[in-house]
Amino acid sequence: MSELSIDAEAAPAGERDVAGLLLDVARRLGDSVSVHGVSTVIADAAPEVVGSDRSVVVLWDEAGEQFFMSATSRWPGELVDNLNAWVGTPDDSPDLKRIMQSGRPALLHEGSRSAWVDSLLNDFNITAFAVTPIMVNGRFMGLIAVHWAGSRAPRTLSTSCADRLTGLASMAGIALNGQLLLEDNEWSVGHDELTGLLNRNAFRRHAIEVLQDEPTAPVTVLACVIDRFDRVATVFAQDAIDSILREVSDRLRATVGDRAIIACYSGDEFLFMLPNTAQNAGDGVISRIKTQMALPFAVGNRDIHLDLLIGRAVSEGDGAADPLIVAQTLVTEAEADLRVRKNARPPVHINPPVDDELQLDADLRWAANNGEIVAAYQPQIDLASGRTVGVEALARWNHPKHGAISPAQFIPLAEANGTIVQIGRAMLAHACRDAAAWLRSGHRLVTSVNVSAVQLELDYCVPYVRALLEEFSLPPELLTIEITESGAVRDLSDAQDQLRALRNLGVGISIDDFGTGFSSLTQLNMLPVTELKIDMSFVQGIDGGGHHIVAGVVGFARGLELEVVAEGVETDRQLEVLRELGCDRGQGYLWSRPTDFQGVCVFLGDEL
């Protein structure tokens, strides 16, 4: 690296010519509307100002801590592609690092005794190059480099050349800084600062442009929200919350592709426009989004799980419609669909509440996928004979750290995060296997299994039950599917179809916690029910108002030729009244607490 000195070999333009050149550069910089435009003006002017053959403008990426090529001038075509692809770091380019730190121009040639310089001279067919830093208020922004190839290269950098390079760099710095500030301002006006996605206003502008460009093409708009994201705010600090939102945005951006328009319009809420995408294609996009969101998010030393609720609206493309009205309508309809889905999702009422629901959620996902949720059974007694005629299968979770977790805590969470599907399948398999084992030992027990309304909405339920009955050679009348009253009427059409198909297999259908769901008798009469279970709250209040409710339920069931089972029987008095009222079966602590398979075998043995 040479010192600055007067060098007669360098032949830049005269002072009068240089002044004219710099004035022209200033005018052209005033007309530039981008960082690349500013870089191009400087690169084009540099060879004229200092008398070189070629030049480049290299900018500094502060975030990535690397140099990248911004503009080139007078380079032959075979070298331009190599230049544009060049990216370097200060450690890769020690000579540039020294110039960057010194803030002064320098001349580099074969006498510089630098392997990095020698490689550039050979790779780009040059004999020397001068480099000057672009600085604004002490901030390093990049470099201007001028190169000698065909003409005679100077051995030292003259004071006049150094001054001219420094002056050009000053002009470049002012123009680049102004352009960056302008672009930053324009970017912030149209983008969400945290995620880098478009904001709502920019989304609308881009959506209108898409509809104007392709007025007859189908378009899908998705409105999304991170389900129950308020849980995150109760556990993590703001920097962790911001990190999660940025990762969600990155996953969404990577999933939907470059053609999609994505906006973050309210923290944890997002909008998508998918151009040229009809209903079926939108299904695939939603599936990919769900798959990406199902992957855990690493926060510190733990994983958390999140889900997106997604509302959708589709336009088949009406070329005569006003693009502004179409865009507004699509967003409104997608948001309305999202509200419907939010209202339809299972409520989560964990009782008692837990301090860290997110950790419980992660632990439950592990437990459901690794067989930690097991079945316990509570015997059901025929009240007339006193014999054990059935059992109810109950999900139990023995947490390795916290011990037994109440179903009142994990079942609502399982319905919300989707693990109820794995838990439900496991419980059905346990119940059918154990019922078949009791049958082989001579005990014909009807085994009841709770099935969530979430499961009834999935197509797998009926084929899975049929396969289990065949696998374990279990008579279908020894299996009863229990659903809560609220679950039975949540979506009557879907419940009817699934329950009728199960009943057609010969499986019993029981309405659990009857009397607590406020369903109409007409609705229940439309379902293929074989049994009603009286909620334990009425049984335990049987000496008060509960007596009349139990009597009413029994009378109602008799009219429909249904069996009646009383839950939560704990005293001889309750048993006596239930018998008087004509209740068929009972279960509760009066006979047995829930127990495992072997515990049931012992209980049955005591009857012999």
Side-chain angles (χ1 to χ4, degrees):
M1 194 178 300
S2 69
E3 295 297 323
L4 300 184
S5 65
I6 301 297
D7 187 347
E9 293 178 330
E15 294 298 330
R16 187 181 301 275
D17 294 338
V18 169
L21 283 171
L22 293 179
L23 181 61
D24 182 58
V25 169
R27 284 195 295 264
R28 291 170 61 197
L29 287 176
D31 295 333
S32 299
V33 295
S34 67
V35 168
H36 176 68
V38 169
S39 300
T40 299
V41 169
I42 297 298
D44 287 344
E48 292 289 340
V49 171
V50 299
S52 67
D53 298 312
R54 305 167 186 170
S55 67
V56 299
V57 173
V58 175
L59 297 185
W60 173 244
D61 176 8
E62 285 184 326
E65 295 187 344
Q66 62 183 9
F67 301 107
F68 66 93
M69 195 65 60
S70 183
T72 64
S73 181
R74 303 190 183 184
W75 288 84
E78 66 271 15
L79 296 178
V80 171
D81 290 341
N82 292 339
L83 281 170
N84 289 332
W86 179 82
V87 174
T89 69
D91 292 334
D92 296 335
S93 316
D95 298 275
L96 294 187
K97 184 176 182 178
R98 284 192 293 272
I99 296 171
M100 175 181 176
Q101 294 172 339
S102 72
R104 300 175 58 202
L107 181 69
L108 304 171
H109 48 66
E110 60 184 8
S112 301
R113 298 182 180 178
S114 164
W116 179 79
V117 171
D118 288 343
S119 67
L120 258 64
L121 297 178
N122 292 330
D123 292 344
F124 292 101
N125 298 327
I126 54 179
T127 56
F129 59 103
V131 182
T132 188
I134 302 172
M135 309 285 294
V136 175
N137 297 325
R139 176 189 176 191
F140 177 74
M141 301 187 70
L143 300 161
I144 300 173
V146 293
H147 309 77
W148 286 268
S151 63
R152 187 178 180 187
R155 301 303 298 171
T156 59
L157 196 62
S158 68
T159 301
S160 61
C161 281
D163 288 344
R164 293 172 185 183
L165 279 173
T166 301
L168 194 61
S170 296
M171 297 175 67
I174 294 170
L176 286 170
N177 190 55
Q179 193 62 49
L180 287 171
L181 288 174
L182 180 61
E183 291 184 5
D184 285 347
N185 183 62
E186 291 178 350
W187 185 91
S188 63
V189 167
H191 291 78
D192 174 68
E193 184 177 355
L194 176 64
T195 64
L197 299 177
L198 297 174
N199 60 26
R200 193 181 185 99
N201 290 333
F203 177 89
R204 184 169 60 250
R205 292 196 302 271
H206 283 74
I208 292 171
E209 290 174 3
V210 167
L211 294 167
Q212 289 173 333
D213 292 342
E214 300 181 83
T216 60
V219 174
T220 293
V221 168
L222 306 178
C224 313
V225 64
I226 302 176
D227 190 21
R228 298 163 57 231
F229 191 65
D230 55 324
R231 299 174 302 162
V232 176
T234 65
V235 176
F236 297 108
Q238 188 60 49
D239 58 344
I241 295 171
D242 291 347
S243 177
I244 293 168
L245 288 172
R246 281 191 290 267
E247 184 172 351
V248 169
S249 302
D250 290 343
R251 291 189 189 186
L252 295 178
R253 200 168 6 224
T255 300
V256 299
D258 294 336
R259 292 200 65 213
I261 302 168
I262 316 175
C264 176
Y265 65 96
S266 180
D268 61 339
E269 300 178 6
F270 302 88
L271 272 175
F272 298 79
M273 173 173 270
L274 309 175
N276 202 24
T277 303
Q279 180 84 20
N280 292 341
D283 290 342
V285 174
I286 291 174
S287 177
R288 292 196 299 274
I289 290 173
K290 289 283 191 179
T291 298
Q292 276 297 312
M293 287 296 295
L295 300 174
F297 291 78
V299 186
N301 60 354
R302 60 184 289 188
D303 289 343
I304 66 169
H305 295 264
L306 302 172
D307 188 22
L308 276 187
L309 296 175
I310 303 176
R312 170 166 50 182
V314 180
S315 169
E316 295 303 328
D318 181 358
D322 185 335
L324 173 60
I325 295 176
V326 174
Q328 291 174 335
T329 301
L330 285 171
V331 171
T332 300
E333 290 179 353
E335 291 176 334
D337 187 40
L338 175 60
R339 286 193 296 272
V340 170
R341 295 176 186 276
K342 287 177 69 173
N343 293 333
R345 75 194 192 279
V348 180
H349 300 301
I350 296 178
N351 187 28
V354 295
D355 292 333
D356 190 347
E357 185 188 324
L358 286 170
Q359 188 60 55
L360 186 67
D361 178 285
D363 294 345
L364 179 58
R365 292 173 188 268
W366 169 264
N369 289 308
N370 290 275
E372 287 187 4
I373 310 296
V374 298
Y377 300 96
Q378 188 169 40
Q380 294 182 346
I381 310 302
D382 179 79
L383 299 189
S385 66
R387 302 289 294 177
T388 303
V389 294
V391 293
E392 180 184 1
L394 303 166
R396 291 293 183 264
W397 178 19
N398 189 32
H399 192 284
K401 179 179 179 182
H402 302 295
I405 305 292
S406 168
Q409 289 187 307
F410 74 81
I411 292 299
L413 188 56
E415 290 188 333
N417 68 18
T419 54
I420 194 66
V421 175
Q422 293 100 305
I423 293 172
R425 290 171 71 99
M427 292 299 295
L428 281 167
H430 287 315
C432 290
R433 179 198 64 199
D434 292 344
W438 288 317
L439 181 62
R440 289 194 298 271
S441 67
H443 296 283
R444 189 176 177 84
L445 300 181
V446 177
T447 302
S448 299
V449 184
N450 288 279
V451 171
S452 165
V454 175
Q455 293 171 264
L456 286 177
E457 294 170 358
L458 302 175
D459 293 336
Y460 89 88
C461 191
V462 176
Y464 186 66
V465 169
R466 182 189 296 112
L468 288 174
L469 295 174
E470 294 174 355
E471 177 182 355
F472 296 108
S473 301
L474 182 68
E477 63 271 17
L478 295 187
L479 178 65
T480 292
I481 299 298
E482 286 190 17
I483 55 175
T484 61
E485 184 179 357
S486 58
V489 299
R490 186 171 116 188
D491 190 333
L492 188 61
S493 59
D494 285 348
Q496 273 188 301
D497 293 341
Q498 294 281 7
L499 294 175
R500 290 191 184 283
L502 288 168
R503 186 71 190 107
N504 288 337
L505 293 179
V507 172
I509 306 296
S510 176
I511 301 296
D512 195 12
D513 300 332
F514 186 74
T516 63
F518 304 102
S519 60
S520 72
L521 302 184
T522 301
Q523 286 176 312
L524 286 178
N525 192 42
M526 296 171 63
L527 298 172
V529 178
T530 59
E531 172 185 290
L532 297 181
K533 296 191 76 176
I534 303 173
D535 184 65
M536 65 184 300
S537 63
F538 302 130
V539 173
Q540 293 177 357
I542 209 163
D543 289 328
H547 179 281
H548 300 293
I549 295 176
V550 173
V553 172
V554 172
F556 168 67
R558 287 287 171 264
L560 295 178
E561 299 182 346
L562 304 177
E563 293 280 311
V564 182
V565 181
E567 295 184 289
V569 183
E570 296 183 355
T571 68
D572 290 331
R573 172 60 182 163
Q574 293 166 0
L575 173 59
E576 179 184 353
V577 175
L578 289 169
R579 280 175 173 162
E580 290 173 356
L581 294 175
C583 185
D584 298 294
R585 283 175 283 142
Q587 68 182 82
Y589 290 174
L590 179 63
W591 296 284
S592 173
R593 291 178 177 272
T595 184
D596 60 13
F597 174 81
Q598 291 298 333
V600 173
C601 293
V602 172
F603 183 83
L604 294 171
D606 290 343
E607 292 186 342
L608 299 178

